[in-house]
Amino acid sequence: MVKKICVLISGRGSNLLSLLDAQGEIPGHVVRVIANRADAAGLKHAEERGIETVVIPSKDFTERDLFDQVLGDAIAACVPDLVVLAGFMRILGKKIVGRFSGKMINIHPALLPSYPGLHTHQRALADGVKWHGCTVHFVTPDVDVGPIIGQTAVPVLSHDDEETLAARVLKAEHRLLADCVRWYCEDRLTVRGNAVLLRNSVSIADAVQQPQG
Ligand code: GAR
């Protein structure tokens, strides 16, 4: 059965766009895009494709719980099978996370558990790490610690600055998010504690073509 996906964004929306472009290979379709800022540039990607958009400006809410309630209702109204936080820069409370438990995923621009939170590229460069990357994980009440669905590592090069590193990670994010959403929509993910098992995955050894004769 084709899954209904609700995507939450706060800004540019390049992950949303890549997901929309990958929809042909995913048994799921984006039915609603919700932004917590009216000026979120990514909204146009949804509008151009005739996908319903909803803006709930978080700055208009003094109470976090009320924002979460309104947001939760807007998500629930499209009865999604999957909620994707794709550059949604707002911390969600326990209640709304519990409401969509097991069906809400987030993309984070670092190899968790390294560099949760903000300014991940800047912090990775300051630490001189040789590898950086991105993570897609299930959302749990604690920020950036939920069960990890997938990760992609990218090298940190000697001439990198924040911009070049961010661009390399973002490219990896676009592929990773589409893959993880596809696995979810194919019902191939099982959560065991803090680990996520991917069913029917082809091992690297199997995927590498053996030389013939
Ligand atoms: C992406 O790099 C995403 O990983 C990050 O925001 C960017 C959004 O870009 N998300 C977070 O930092 C969440 N903690 P996009 O709007 O072009 O997809």
Side-chain angles (χ1 to χ4, degrees):
M1 200 190 67
V2 174
K3 301 265 195 290
K4 293 205 277 179
I5 305 167
C6 178
V7 181
L8 273 53
I9 62 168
S10 293
R12 177 179 56 185
S14 72
N15 274 290
L16 165 66
L17 180 61
S18 73
L19 189 56
L20 294 173
D21 286 345
Q23 275 190 135
E25 60 189 66
I26 296 171
H29 62 275
V30 177
V31 294
R32 177 175 276 197
V33 173
I34 302 177
N36 69 321
R37 300 173 57 116
D39 62 356
L43 285 167
K44 72 170 183 299
H45 302 313
E47 284 156 6
E48 280 165 10
R49 285 166 170 77
I51 297 165
E52 189 184 23
T53 59
V54 177
V55 176
I56 305 169
S58 45
K59 67 173 176 45
D60 292 355
F61 291 78
T62 46
E63 278 180 54
R64 274 185 174 273
D65 285 354
L66 185 58
F67 172 77
D68 282 3
Q69 178 67 43
V70 173
L71 175 65
D73 290 347
I75 296 171
C78 67
V79 202
D81 300 291
L82 175 65
V83 182
V84 180
L85 310 189
F88 189 66
M89 306 307 285
R90 174 94 188 175
I91 291 174
L92 298 174
K94 274 198 175 81
K95 207 165 162 192
I96 183 169
V97 170
R99 196 168 167 188
F100 301 102
S101 175
K103 55 164 77 170
M104 184 182 265
I105 68 174
N106 177 48
I107 180 141
H108 182 74
L111 292 172
L112 293 171
S114 292
Y115 309 115
L118 300 174
H119 311 300
T120 55
H121 309 313
Q122 191 188 331
R123 288 154 62 205
L125 286 169
D127 285 346
V129 297
K130 301 297 183 203
W131 291 92
H132 188 43
C134 50
T135 302
V136 172
H137 64 95
F138 282 103
V139 176
T140 54
D142 293 322
V143 179
D144 296 336
V145 297
I148 291 172
I149 300 167
Q151 293 187 301
T152 304
V154 302
V156 180
L157 306 179
S158 54
H159 58 263
D160 267 335
D161 56 23
E162 219 180 311
E163 200 177 320
T164 55
L165 182 56
R168 194 173 307 118
V169 172
L170 191 65
K171 196 169 171 212
E173 286 185 40
H174 293 162
R175 185 66 252 163
L176 179 67
L177 184 62
D179 283 343
C180 292
V181 168
R182 179 168 54 81
W183 297 334
Y184 182 96
C185 292
E186 290 171 345
D187 290 321
R188 288 171 61 189
L189 303 178
T190 307
V191 181
R192 294 261 166 81
N194 213 34
V196 179
L197 309 181
L198 173 62
R199 272 191 306 279
N200 303 327
S201 57
V202 179
S203 73
I204 289 177
D206 291 342
V208 172
Q209 219 175 349
Q210 298 298 319
Q212 300 296 307

